[in-house]
Amino acid sequence: MDNFDDYYAILGAGRGATQKDIKKAYLDRCFILHPDRLQGAPESAKRLAEQELLRVNKAYEVLGDTKRRQAYDIEWVAHKDKPKPIVEPSKIQFKNMMPGETKSASFIVRNAGGPYNSLSIPNPETWVRLTKWHSLSANDELPLQVSIEVEGSDKGNEFNETIKVKLDNEEARLPVMMQMRKETRNLLERTFRKKKGDVKNKREQKSNYQIPNWLKALLFIFSFSVIGLGISFLVGVYIPFWISFGFAVIHSIEKWLYYPTKKHKSIGKLYRLLLNLSILVLLGLIIWSGIQLFSRRFLYSELVGSLIFILEIVFFIWILRVVTKNSWRWPSMKLTVFSLICLFLVFSFAGVQPMAGYKDVAIRTINNFINEQKLKAEGKEIAEENRRVAEKDAAGVAGEYDFYKDYVNLFNQFRSENSSSSLVFDTALNKLAVERAFEISQPSNFNHEGIKKFNYGENIAMMAYSSDSAIDLVKQWASSPGHRSNMLSSTYHKTGFAKNGRYAVQIFD
């Protein structure tokens, strides 16, 4: 099973076939491929049949044995479940490259096997590098199109590199080759080039002198810095200077100093960090400028402020493209943002200004917001509790008022049945009864002491349940000699009554 051949397909049997079915399929294939049945056939057909018969015999050796068949099934399933990365095309070749010249190409990564958990394409970071990639499917990561870029070198003629594509532990390799253009000279050129003393050749040598790239970059940065500084003095704000300086630095690196950032990893990392910080600062500057501009507080002239705001947006779009081109570098934007947040927190809690001041303002703002939310929640709870108490009190007052009406009727009916005239329920005595009912409802205060100063007659009662009816109270007082005497006394002309929960009071005058 060196090539993981599908032995079931070779024999023409299904995977659920019994051992008897396997043997029958084997004999049928042997009968068809037997040399005696191919007499008179072309030699090429006989050779193909012989090779196929060998594969059939090999398949039956495995599947005809129960133990070997079980081992084959396990190994076949494991093989089919493995991912199988495929790279198209199989190789990429660049020809006739000049030193410093850049060219690009792309390849596609596919999976011809089972599912996978991770995809990795390490960047060689030499003369060839990965620039960008995007999925060709709306639902899956693969197939994936990857773009590469190469840069010609002045050291050597032929270069070879290998890009490795891994799906889990399965690997596919893509060879990348670059050939430099060979300088061709005819006999006449070689003859004249040997005459170094010729004046014309000396002049040509002087005219062919090129300014070093670092000097070009320095002059370019200096020129744009002067221009930006002049504009800043003119408009009264230093934003144009920093935009001009940042553009000059990044453009110079991309055009003249790009090769050192690829050759030296430390320089490349610093350059990527510079790009990340630049785009973050520029984004914050755009937000700040927009707020200042639309709130009419940016500069003295709205026209100048609008032009600077547009310039910031244009520079932001340009630097976004530069960051995309350098997306293969480290550190990533996510790591940069996370590191800045961690540094801010460390410096702020260490008391370093102005971070500590920003931290204090943020904490105060959060605390004020939390306290406001707590006050609002407590206010809602208090209002809800007041509403419930008010509803409960209203229900209690209504219930006690109904009790009061029932008791008035029952009391005067009781006096009438016992040949006594009705008493008038006086408002002042009713209020006094309310106060007395509250007094006797307090702990250890159920007595007649509070009424002695008024020289009034008084009945008090503690009912068994607050839900007892008025007739229960009349019966309770009528069954007590002292209370009954007050209820039927002819010396009283006015009375007052009140109830507070289980406690009832009647005052006589």
Side-chain angles (χ1 to χ4, degrees), residues 262-406:
K262 290 197 311 179
K263 184 177 181 181
H264 305 285
K265 291 185 178 181
S266 58
I267 298 177
K269 292 176 181 179
L270 289 175
Y271 180 52
R272 177 58 193 268
L273 181 62
L274 170 67
L275 292 176
N276 293 345
L277 296 177
S278 299
I279 200 168
L280 291 174
V281 171
L282 191 58
L283 179 62
L285 188 61
I286 289 174
I287 296 173
W288 176 83
S289 300
I291 295 173
Q292 296 293 316
L293 179 63
F294 291 108
S295 61
R296 299 180 180 273
R297 293 183 296 174
F298 187 52
L299 301 177
Y300 299 102
S301 171
E302 294 183 4
L303 177 61
V304 175
S306 301
L307 292 176
I308 292 178
F309 184 67
I310 294 173
L311 179 63
E312 292 170 354
I313 295 177
V314 172
F315 185 46
F316 181 78
I317 295 173
W318 176 78
I319 202 173
L320 265 181
R321 298 185 64 182
V322 176
V323 171
T324 303
K325 180 181 177 182
N326 291 272
S327 60
W328 56 277
R329 297 184 189 271
W330 187 91
S332 64
M333 181 64 72
K334 293 180 180 179
L335 180 60
T336 303
V337 173
F338 178 75
S339 300
L340 288 176
I341 294 174
C342 292
L343 287 175
F344 175 83
L345 293 175
V346 170
F347 288 153
S348 61
F349 283 97
V352 179
Q353 296 296 340
M355 281 74 79
Y358 296 148
K359 180 259 296 180
D360 295 337
V361 172
I363 291 177
R364 282 198 301 270
T365 303
I366 294 172
N367 288 335
N368 292 336
F369 176 77
I370 293 174
N371 292 332
E372 289 177 1
Q373 297 303 315
K374 287 182 178 179
L375 290 175
K376 289 181 180 179
E378 290 175 358
K380 290 181 180 179
E381 291 179 359
I382 292 173
E384 181 65 21
E385 182 65 23
N386 291 337
R387 184 187 64 80
R388 289 196 297 266
V389 171
E391 291 178 353
K392 182 178 180 181
D393 291 345
V397 169
E400 291 179 2
Y401 180 70
D402 293 338
F403 190 96
Y404 171 80
K405 291 191 299 181
D406 293 341

Side-chain angles (χ1 to χ4, degrees), residues 216-229 231 238-257 271 274-275 277-279 281-282 285 311-322:
K216 291 180 183 178
L218 186 62
L219 293 174
F220 188 80
I221 294 172
F222 177 76
S223 301
F224 268 77
S225 299
V226 171
I227 295 173
L229 191 62
I231 297 174
Y238 283 97
I239 294 177
F241 166 74
W242 290 113
I243 292 179
S244 301
F245 178 76
F247 167 76
V249 170
I250 296 174
H251 179 75
S252 299
I253 294 175
E254 288 291 314
K255 187 169 184 178
W256 295 301
L257 305 175
Y271 180 52
L274 170 67
L275 292 176
L277 296 177
S278 299
I279 200 168
V281 171
L282 191 58
L285 188 61
L311 179 63
E312 292 170 354
I313 295 177
V314 172
F315 185 46
F316 181 78
I317 295 173
W318 176 78
I319 202 173
L320 265 181
R321 298 185 64 182
V322 176

Side-chain angles (χ1 to χ4, degrees), residues 444-491:
S444 303
N445 206 23
F446 186 73
N447 54 61
H448 291 286
E449 296 297 326
I451 204 62
K452 288 182 178 179
K453 58 184 176 180
F454 298 104
N455 295 319
Y456 293 146
E458 181 185 59
N459 283 353
I460 63 175
M462 182 190 299
M463 297 180 290
Y465 304 100
S466 59
S467 60
D468 287 350
S469 63
I471 192 171
D472 294 330
L473 179 59
V474 172
K475 291 180 179 180
Q476 181 177 341
W477 274 338
S479 62
S480 172
H483 293 147
R484 183 183 180 88
S485 174
N486 284 335
M487 294 173 72
L488 298 177
S489 175
S490 59
T491 60

Side-chain angles (χ1 to χ4, degrees), residues 83 85 116 118 165-172:
Y116 63 94
S118 63
V165 179
K166 286 187 176 182
L167 295 180
D168 294 344
N169 295 325
E170 301 300 314
E171 182 179 88

Side-chain angles (χ1 to χ4, degrees), residues 25-313:
Y26 166 69
L27 294 176
D28 290 342
R29 296 291 291 167
C30 289
F31 179 75
I32 294 173
L33 298 171
H34 198 276
D36 293 343
R37 294 183 56 82
L38 297 175
Q39 292 181 1
E43 290 298 323
S44 59
K46 291 182 179 180
R47 286 196 298 270
L48 290 175
E50 183 179 357
Q51 294 174 1
E52 183 64 20
L53 187 59
L54 292 174
R55 295 178 68 216
V56 169
N57 289 329
K58 186 176 181 181
Y60 184 68
E61 287 178 3
V62 175
L63 300 184
D65 187 294
T66 303
K67 292 184 178 179
R68 295 184 65 182
R69 179 183 177 183
Q70 291 176 352
Y72 169 82
D73 289 340
I74 295 173
E75 191 172 358
W76 176 255
V77 170
H79 168 71
K80 294 298 289 183
D81 287 342
K82 288 183 180 179
K84 185 180 180 181
I86 296 178
V87 180
E88 301 172 351
S90 58
K91 67 179 180 178
I92 297 178
Q93 189 171 10
F94 297 90
K95 297 181 179 180
N96 296 324
M97 294 288 295
M98 295 290 292
E101 181 184 7
T102 59
K103 289 185 179 181
S104 59
S106 64
F107 61 91
I108 296 175
V109 180
R110 304 181 188 275
N111 180 22
Y116 63 94
N117 296 318
S118 63
L119 165 65
S120 64
I121 310 177
N123 201 320
E125 296 187 5
T126 54
W127 52 270
V128 57
R129 61 185 178 87
L130 309 182
T131 56
K132 59 181 179 180
W133 47 84
H134 69 276
S135 176
L136 301 179
S137 173
N139 303 320
D140 197 2
E141 186 179 20
L142 297 181
L144 184 70
Q145 184 174 15
V146 183
S147 299
I148 63 171
E149 184 179 84
V150 299
E151 182 176 359
S153 175
D154 56 355
K155 299 178 180 179
N157 296 323
E158 294 185 0
F159 299 87
N160 296 285
E161 186 60 82
T162 301
I163 297 176
K164 300 177 182 180
V165 179
K166 286 187 176 182
L167 295 180
D168 294 344
N169 295 325
E170 301 300 314
E171 182 179 88
R173 300 192 172 196
L174 173 64
V176 182
M177 294 162 282
M178 181 175 66
Q179 295 180 350
M180 303 303 297
R181 181 180 300 175
K182 295 181 180 179
E183 185 179 0
T184 58
R185 299 175 185 173
N186 54 34
L187 179 61
L188 185 61
E189 288 177 335
R190 289 197 298 270
T191 302
F192 280 101
R193 281 183 181 271
K194 292 180 180 179
K195 298 179 180 180
K196 298 290 183 179
D198 191 85
V199 177
K200 184 177 179 180
N201 289 340
K202 289 183 179 180
R203 290 178 180 176
E204 288 180 353
Q205 290 175 4
K206 292 182 180 180
S207 63
N208 290 334
Y209 175 75
Q210 293 183 351
I211 301 176
N213 288 338
W214 64 267
L215 185 57
K216 291 180 183 178
L218 186 62
L219 293 174
F220 188 80
I221 294 172
F222 177 76
S223 301
F224 268 77
S225 299
V226 171
I227 295 173
L229 191 62
I231 297 174
S232 296
F233 282 133
L234 183 64
V235 301
V237 67
Y238 283 97
I239 294 177
F241 166 74
W242 290 113
I243 292 179
S244 301
F245 178 76
F247 167 76
V249 170
I250 296 174
H251 179 75
S252 299
I253 294 175
E254 288 291 314
K255 187 169 184 178
W256 295 301
L257 305 175
Y258 195 80
Y259 182 74
T261 65
K262 290 197 311 179
K263 184 177 181 181
H264 305 285
K265 291 185 178 181
S266 58
I267 298 177
K269 292 176 181 179
L270 289 175
Y271 180 52
R272 177 58 193 268
L273 181 62
L274 170 67
L275 292 176
N276 293 345
L277 296 177
S278 299
I279 200 168
L280 291 174
V281 171
L282 191 58
L283 179 62
L285 188 61
I286 289 174
I287 296 173
W288 176 83
S289 300
I291 295 173
Q292 296 293 316
L293 179 63
F294 291 108
S295 61
R296 299 180 180 273
R297 293 183 296 174
F298 187 52
L299 301 177
Y300 299 102
S301 171
E302 294 183 4
L303 177 61
V304 175
S306 301
L307 292 176
I308 292 178
F309 184 67
I310 294 173
L311 179 63
E312 292 170 354
I313 295 177

